[in-house]
Structure formats: structure tokens, C-alpha cells
Amino acid sequence: MADYDEANLSYVCSSWAPILGFGGCAAAVVFANLGGAFGTAKAGQGMMAMGVRSPELLMKNIIPVVMAGVLGIYGLIVAVILNGKMVIPDGDGNTTYSVYSGFAHLAAGICCGLASLASGLAIGISADAGTRAVGAQSAMAASWKKMGFTGDAGGQVTSSGDALFVGTVLIQVFAGNLGLYGLITALILSQLDYQCGDGGN
């Protein structure tokens, strides 16, 4: 073990540096789960409203709930990786976890957490509107058929809501990609690591 000079290492491996790393772990999990919770709640709200009139479409429109739930897993993955990067002080109580690593890991946690939060907001709001629209179109088509309309009637009679459903799914995919971008960035940032004793210290 190299001899530590507190005067030279105080700014590189300060005693408060691990706070940054643990903050990154917390930010990844907390913000990602906030996004997942909002997305799940908002999408579920729209699904239940749609299920009143079109219960047969309930399971078909469960995709947004699954995609919102995945966001929490993103935060968990990043938090576990960052936790593995944390270094406990040595036997003399000197901190070997550098400020450089701390800021890199804090940035990783914030990237994943806030990106997942934004993704959850997008998924929840779009899913709420999308599932309600799919259910309304299906109910309208059924009403036209009950009234005896057999013509096209603007596509309402023959439509089963597939066009709106496909559009809703595409919106969910692009909204979910936002969280994936944050996860990828966080994984790259988590690899930036420097410990006291590396590079000649």
C-alpha cells in the first residue's frame, strides 16, 4: 500500500467523495421508480376507463403498464453497478474512492433516473389518452353495428380499433426509448473510475 499524503490527496480522494457515489445510486433508483410509478398509474387509469365499455380490450392494452414497469428495473441495474464500484476506506481510514469517480457515478445515476422519469411521464400520459381512444373507437363501432348500419360509415362499422392501437404502441415504444438512452449513458459513465494509488498516486 502506497503512503498517503493527505495534503496531496485531499482534493483527489476527499472523505466526502463516497457521498457522490451513493447519491448516484439513490438518484437512479428513486427517480426511475417515480417514472415507473407515474407511468403505471396513469396508464392503468386509462385502461380501467376503457375497460368499462370495452372489457375485451383490457389485456390487449396492457403493454404501457409493462413498459412503465421496466423503467424501475433500469434504475435498479444502474444502482447495483454503481454499488459495485464503491470502495471502502483502507485500514488506516483513508478514502481511496476519488472525487472523479464520485462525480462520474453521480452523473450516471442522475442520467438514468431523470431519463426514466421523463420516459414514465411520456408513457403514462400517452397511454391514458391512447387506451381511452382505442376503447371509444371499439365501442362506437359496436354501436353502429347494433343500429344496423352495414355501410362504411366513415370506417366506424368495420373498424376494430387496430389503427389507433398500432399508433398507441408506436408512441409507447418511442417514449420508452427515452429511458433506454439514459440507461446506456449511465452504463458508459459508470465505467469511468479512478482510485487513489492508480496512475502514480
Side-chain angles (χ1 to χ4, degrees):
M1 181 68 67
D3 293 333
Y4 288 94
D5 184 356
E6 184 64 25
N8 294 328
L9 296 178
S10 59
Y11 296 106
V12 179
C13 290
S14 299
S15 59
W16 50 264
I19 297 176
L20 301 173
F22 288 121
C25 295
V29 173
V30 171
F31 288 120
N33 279 284
L34 282 175
F38 179 86
T40 300
K42 195 69 173 174
Q45 192 177 33
M47 286 177 56
M48 293 303 103
M50 177 206 65
V52 173
R53 292 186 296 179
S54 304
E56 70 281 359
L57 298 177
L58 195 61
M59 295 305 298
K60 182 180 180 181
N61 288 273
I62 197 107
I63 296 175
V65 175
V66 176
M67 296 188 68
V70 171
L71 298 176
I73 299 177
Y74 291 168
L76 177 62
I77 292 173
V78 172
V80 170
I81 292 175
L82 295 182
N83 181 68
K85 298 285 185 177
M86 302 301 297
V87 181
I88 63 175
D90 62 14
D92 297 327
N94 296 310
T95 301
T96 58
Y97 184 80
S98 67
V99 175
Y100 174 86
S101 298
F103 278 115
H105 297 163
L106 177 62
I110 292 176
C111 280
C112 178
L114 293 184
S116 297
L117 176 59
S119 179
L121 294 174
I123 290 175
I125 295 173
S126 61
D128 185 21
T131 52
R132 289 174 189 267
V134 170
Q137 186 183 36
S138 176
M140 186 179 295
S143 298
W144 279 94
K145 290 180 181 179
K146 288 181 180 179
M147 288 187 290
F149 290 96
T150 57
D152 181 46
Q156 296 297 333
V157 176
T158 58
S159 174
S160 60
D162 288 339
L164 280 176
F165 176 74
V166 172
T168 300
V169 171
L170 288 176
I171 294 172
Q172 305 309 311
V173 170
F174 285 106
N177 284 345
L178 301 177
L180 186 60
Y181 300 153
L183 174 63
I184 294 172
T185 304
L187 293 178
I188 295 173
L189 289 172
S190 68
Q191 302 307 309
L192 301 177
D193 192 21
Y194 178 86
Q195 295 182 23
C196 294
D198 296 343
N201 282 329

